[in-house]
Amino acid sequence: GQQLNQSPQSMFIQEGEDVSMNCTSSSIFNTWLWYKQEPGEGPVLLIALYKAGELTSNGRLTAQFGITRKDSFLNISASIPSDVGIYFCAGRPTGANSKLTFGKGITLSVRP
Amino acid sequence: DTAVSQTPKYLVTQMGNDKSIKCEQNLGHDTMYWYKQDSKKFLKIMFSYNNKELIINETVPNRFSPKSPDKAHLNLHINSLELGDSAVYFCASSQAPPGGEAFFGQGTRLTVV
């Protein structure tokens, strides 16, 4: 089945720094989604992307749908302590009943 | 006004027992899912229902049986629980056909002892 690659598994940054995460796929995707999960909670949708090349922002977060349709990145600017959590990319390939596949997630730590 | 709610939040039970997890969404979505998150935080889809009809059934032991009485509810029943079933189970829903923007519940942490 489809696989999404997210790496590294963990990232450690200083408060105020920008951080970029990317996600790659072996297949072409029609949809890219980015989620954040905090301890004890379910994943929360941050940004949804539907067109190749699309660049979308949500506050300090910006995500892009790669033009090859096989990758996406998420950028967090001016990080703050509450940005800590697990960031998942998810994608849906072509096909009517294709399923949403998740990457393994990146655990982000922000040092004050 | 919780969008996707699942109960219980925590479930501790002995091996061999049968248990159910309930899920309800008030978003008016047509599609609902069950995901399993293991100890390494990997999210894997188990089932998907669209308008009460099963459309995705991953390789899941048949001890797991989803039931959708209506499109706002998707329950998960697990028979003969095993230690390896311990995980966090998430219910989710989406408006679009399977794979659209999915909105998740808070999860049910199942511990089998």
Side-chain angles (χ1 to χ4, degrees):
Chain A
Q2 282 80 22
Q3 287 198 344
L4 291 184
N5 299 309
Q6 274 189 277
S7 64
Q9 194 173 353
S10 303
M11 299 180 80
F12 298 86
I13 60 173
Q14 198 73 33
E15 183 178 358
E17 287 181 343
D18 299 348
V19 62
S20 190
M21 309 174 187
N22 78 324
C23 190
T24 59
S25 164
S26 55
S27 308
I28 289 175
F29 277 18
N30 280 344
T31 304
W32 284 96
L33 307 174
W34 285 91
Y35 288 85
K36 178 188 177 189
Q37 186 180 19
E38 297 185 12
E41 303 290 332
V44 173
L45 182 66
L46 298 174
I47 294 180
L49 303 159
Y50 295 103
K51 288 186 197 174
E54 181 180 353
L55 184 72
T56 297
S57 292
N58 178 6
R60 294 178 295 105
L61 277 59
T62 302
Q64 185 159 29
F65 192 137
I67 56 172
T68 65
R69 297 169 65 191
K70 290 186 176 182
D71 63 343
S72 176
F73 79 76
L74 174 72
N75 188 71
I76 304 173
S77 62
S79 58
I80 58 178
S82 62
D83 288 334
V84 300
I86 305 175
Y87 289 81
F88 291 98
C89 64
R92 180 171 80 94
T94 55
N97 284 336
S98 59
K99 56 181 188 275
L100 195 60
T101 300
F102 280 79
K104 292 188 176 180
I106 293 176
T107 299
L108 179 67
S109 300
V110 179
R111 289 185 288 257
Chain B
D1 59 347
T2 306
V4 181
S5 60
Q6 51 185 113
T7 55
K9 189 166 170 63
Y10 300 97
L11 186 51
V12 180
T13 188
Q14 289 188 324
M15 275 174 48
N17 283 351
D18 303 340
K19 289 293 177 186
S20 292
I21 307 172
K22 295 187 176 182
C23 179
E24 176 182 5
Q25 55 96 3
N26 63 5
L27 297 167
H29 288 166
D30 292 325
T31 306
M32 296 186 72
Y33 316 80
W34 279 107
Y35 280 83
K36 180 180 181 180
Q37 187 172 46
D38 61 24
S39 57
K40 295 184 179 177
K41 306 300 182 185
F42 184 53
L43 276 162
K44 191 172 190 318
I45 191 165
M46 300 171 69
F47 302 103
S48 174
Y49 270 72
N50 190 40
N51 269 321
K52 303 194 298 176
E53 184 185 340
L54 180 66
I55 51 172
I56 291 176
N57 183 354
E58 288 296 285
T59 308
V60 175
N62 57 15
R63 298 181 294 105
F64 290 78
S65 53
K67 284 193 172 46
S68 182
D70 56 61
K71 74 173 193 176
H73 295 83
L74 180 62
N75 304 324
L76 182 65
H77 189 75
I78 315 170
N79 287 330
S80 303
L81 279 154
E82 300 177 358
L83 293 177
D85 297 332
S86 297
V88 182
Y89 292 84
F90 286 101
C91 176
S93 71
S94 70
Q95 180 60 49
E101 300 172 22
F103 293 83
F104 284 79
Q106 286 199 309
T108 296
R109 180 174 291 279
L110 172 64
T111 304
V112 182
V113 297

